[in-house]
Amino acid sequence: NLSLLRALLAVAICFMTMSRPISILLLPTTDLTADPESVSHCVTVTRQHVKTDHGIDRNQPGRFPLSFPRRFAGLATALHNFTAARAAAYPAATHFFELPGERFTENTNFGDALGRMLGTALTTVSLQPPAGRVYTARSLRSGGASAAEMVPLPRSKIEFLGGWAVDSKRLSQHYISRATPPTFAGRFFFDWLILPLADNMALDFPS
């Protein structure tokens, strides 16, 4: 099911890059690449959209490509398979996560779109938020930052990965929750930023 695979992949990419929905859902087809055999560039994401005081600017410099190592080979394989299936079903797609009948523009409500994908992904893996809470698209950006903080990842690396300003008060006050417990999943997604490359090649995420 292409829609289901899209939901799972979009949620994973937004979480591991701590990105805003627009930064991932408006990625051109060429700006998210996967090579399951690569040691250091297994998954590469080139985000174009930067939030400024005047809104979203896709031309502002400073957003560098993010390359993820060999431990993400399983994700790279899934991305590779999705790319092939989407190209066959929708050769006219201009954005990586577009499916037949869709056309993403900068006027698309990306928060709602990613929120629906998140709901699909959570249902698929039989996960629900704690009682009295709701997961939204923003939860992926906040959850990624919180999980990385608990690794613990240096704050400078969280700021770089998620595109926050140096010494960002907004990151500290509105995104990182210190109630988030340290988990193996958090280490899997983020401790590659502080480990030697050789250690990243051996770690497998448990099923």
Side-chain angles (χ1 to χ4, degrees), residues 113-181:
L114 185 61
R116 290 190 295 271
M117 295 179 203
L118 176 58
T120 297
L122 290 172
T123 299
T124 300
V125 299
S126 300
L127 287 177
Q128 294 300 324
R133 299 186 64 182
V134 176
Y135 288 152
T136 66
R138 186 182 182 279
S139 303
L140 296 171
R141 183 162 161 82
S142 177
S146 299
E149 178 84 356
M150 294 301 110
V151 167
L153 204 65
R155 185 64 63 84
S156 60
K157 291 184 180 292
I158 298 175
E159 291 166 347
F160 174 80
L161 192 60
W164 283 283
V166 176
D167 297 326
S168 170
K169 289 185 172 61
R170 187 167 183 80
L171 170 61
S172 299
Q173 297 172 1
H174 300 288
Y175 284 93
I176 291 178
S177 169
R178 290 177 177 80
T180 302

Side-chain angles (χ1 to χ4, degrees), residues 22-44:
I22 188 174
S23 297
I24 298 304
L25 296 187
L26 212 56
L27 280 172
T29 55
T30 55
D31 283 1
L32 202 171
T33 59
D35 179 1
E37 301 303 318
S38 175
V39 171
S40 58
H41 294 77
C42 207
V43 175
T44 300

Side-chain angles (χ1 to χ4, degrees), residues 67-128:
S67 293
F68 296 84
R70 179 70 177 147
R71 71 166 62 176
F72 295 98
L75 176 63
T77 298
L79 286 165
H80 181 79
N81 292 340
F82 174 81
T83 300
R86 188 213 60 232
Y90 192 20
T94 57
H95 300 102
F96 188 88
F97 286 113
E98 279 178 345
L99 294 183
E102 296 178 337
R103 178 64 68 188
F104 293 157
T105 72
E106 293 192 16
N107 294 321
T108 299
N109 189 324
F110 292 103
D112 283 355
L114 185 61
R116 290 190 295 271
M117 295 179 203
L118 176 58
T120 297
L122 290 172
T123 299
T124 300
V125 299
S126 300
L127 287 177
Q128 294 300 324

